[in-house]
Amino acid sequence: MSTFNTATSRLPDDEVLASGEYPLTRRDLNDVAAMIYSDAGISLNDSKASLVYSRLSKHIRALGLSGFREYCALVSSPEGAAPRREMLSHLTTNFTRFFRENHHFEHLKSDVLPELLSRAKHGGRVRIWSAACSDGQEPYSIALTVLSMMPNAADYDFRILATDIDPKILAQARAGVYDEAALETVSPAMRKQWFREVDVQGRRKFQVDDKVKRLITYNELNLMAQWPFKGPFDVIFCRNVVIYFDEPTQTRIWSRFAGLLPERGHLYIGHSERVSGDAKNLFDNIGITTYRYNGKPGGKK
Ligand SMILES: C[S@@+](CC[C@H](N)C(=O)[O-])C[C@H]1O[C@@H](n2cnc3c(N)ncnc32)[C@H](O)[C@@H]1O
């Protein structure tokens, strides 16, 4: 496999960047980086050597392989399709929280939902997309915000599409079962109304009520690939994922979102992200990491 990291391509390929049970050389890291970039758009460089080492070495042991060389050969071969998908799950960061960056939910509630809920009540269609939804805490937070204003929202044509590249994390999202600690940022009233206590192998957990789940459809989707829908979405949440992509990829994603939003449709992004490049002309920045599509042409589907 060719060297991915051009900035470091003059550095020795056999230099060991992290070690323990198996040495991880620059060649290994570059091979892993090339695969994860082509599969998910995620950029890795030498600074991520110990992360790659710690996330993949257990996997290498479980597969009974001799080290990173053999692992890279396997996951880049047709027989290695399953472990390659596993590699993606191991290398993606799934951290999330209910009502993370709560100002977005406050804005949604005060400035966006009143009009959308009124439209739904009058027979209109409303769609919200949580792109890169991780284990569901983001789409459930959107749904809980909606239900706090309209408890029967699911009786109308009001739906939240929640997608992620990682099928394992989506299975958790669909189940909607969380530790009590995860519910710290959910108000006591919402907990009481929309979660029920369940016993999972002797452990006390909390499951999201089916009435909340009814609002959400979960689907596997790679933001790098074709998107199998035309929109429009009234609101898009795409938070804390493009930070792992390079700048041209980020710009392309923002433009593609513009192609799916109606004029004045909203886009919420992560706390360390900014709409960048040419896509800046398509959005008005109306608050902290909060954008509105201005209707100018240039959005790409
Ligand atoms: C850090 S979590 C963010 C979760 C949530 N949006 C939030 O802000 O709390 C990033 C998520 O992006 C997903 N992801 C990474 N690359 C992706 C891609 N190319 N397409 C879709 N999802 C991706 C990961 O599987 C992970 O669940």
Side-chain angles (χ1 to χ4, degrees), residues 97-99 137 178-188 191:
R97 219 174 334 116
F98 281 105
F99 296 100
Q137 297 187 50
Y178 301 94
D179 290 333
E180 188 168 18
L183 267 60
E184 257 169 33
T185 47
V186 179
S187 75
R191 279 194 212 193

Side-chain angles (χ1 to χ4, degrees), residues 109-120:
K109 185 169 184 166
S110 60
D111 290 40
V112 182
L113 284 178
E115 188 186 323
L116 298 184
L117 293 175
S118 154
R119 188 204 301 161

Side-chain angles (χ1 to χ4, degrees), residues 18-289:
S19 65
E21 197 173 351
Y22 319 102
L24 173 80
T25 64
R26 177 169 289 107
R27 180 184 296 115
D28 300 328
L29 181 67
N30 286 346
D31 285 358
V32 169
M35 287 184 267
I36 192 89
Y37 184 78
S38 110
D39 291 354
I42 295 171
S43 292
L44 294 176
N45 56 31
D46 282 9
S47 71
K48 296 286 192 281
S50 20
L51 178 135
V52 169
Y53 180 85
S54 66
R55 299 225 180 144
L56 295 185
S57 51
K58 260 188 260 149
H59 193 37
I60 292 176
R61 196 179 321 121
L63 289 166
L65 303 174
S66 58
F68 279 93
R69 258 321 58 214
E70 205 185 342
Y71 177 72
C72 288
L74 173 68
V75 291
S76 54
S77 72
E79 301 75 54
R84 177 125 170 199
R85 274 195 301 277
E86 289 272 314
M87 176 174 84
L88 189 70
S89 291
H90 290 297
L91 290 178
T92 47
T93 299
N94 298 124
F95 178 81
T96 186
R97 219 174 334 116
F98 281 105
F99 296 100
R100 181 180 196 184
E101 293 155 48
N102 190 39
H103 57 96
H104 288 155
F105 299 95
E106 284 167 357
H107 181 266
L108 182 72
K109 185 169 184 166
S110 60
D111 290 40
V112 182
L113 284 178
E115 188 186 323
L116 298 184
L117 293 175
S118 154
R119 188 204 301 161
K121 262 186 212 154
H122 290 92
R125 171 190 183 275
V126 178
R127 292 292 180 272
I128 298 181
W129 181 17
S130 164
C133 65
S134 190
D135 70 3
Q137 297 187 50
E138 179 176 282
Y140 288 130
S141 302
I142 300 169
L144 292 171
T145 306
V146 170
L147 292 169
S148 71
M149 300 175 76
M150 191 158 109
N152 63 342
D155 295 340
Y156 297 94
D157 191 7
F158 193 115
R159 292 291 175 270
I160 298 161
L161 172 69
T163 62
D164 200 281
I165 195 173
D166 182 352
K168 278 194 173 166
I169 207 77
L170 278 174
Q172 289 181 39
R174 285 190 189 98
V177 176
Y178 301 94
D179 290 333
E180 188 168 18
L183 267 60
E184 257 169 33
T185 47
V186 179
S187 75
M190 278 182 176
R191 279 194 212 193
K192 197 164 167 235
Q193 190 172 4
W194 301 115
F195 289 82
R196 68 188 171 88
E197 210 175 307
V198 288
D199 182 294
V200 180
Q201 293 165 346
R203 294 182 61 201
R204 188 168 164 254
K205 304 246 183 185
F206 293 83
Q207 181 160 36
V208 179
D209 194 283
D210 284 347
K211 291 196 193 85
V212 185
K213 290 185 179 176
R214 265 181 72 205
L215 276 176
I216 305 172
T217 304
Y218 286 103
N219 275 327
E220 193 176 324
L221 181 123
N222 182 350
L223 286 168
M224 292 302 117
Q226 290 288 317
W227 299 343
F229 40 67
K230 288 202 198 79
F233 290 96
D234 301 286
V235 180
I236 299 175
F237 281 71
C238 184
R239 308 186 310 160
N240 306 301
V241 60
V242 304
I243 190 77
Y244 302 109
F245 302 160
D246 59 19
E247 189 86 22
T249 308
Q250 293 190 10
T251 302
R252 206 166 54 245
I253 299 265
W254 305 136
S255 305
R256 290 178 77 190
F257 286 152
L260 287 177
L261 287 164
E263 188 172 346
R264 300 179 61 76
H266 287 83
L267 170 67
Y268 297 108
I269 69 174
H271 59 98
S272 48
E273 299 163 344
R274 296 288 169 272
V275 169
S276 54
D278 293 345
K280 268 206 293 213
N281 303 323
L282 304 173
F283 288 95
D284 297 330
N285 182 202
I286 57 163
I288 306 165
T289 52

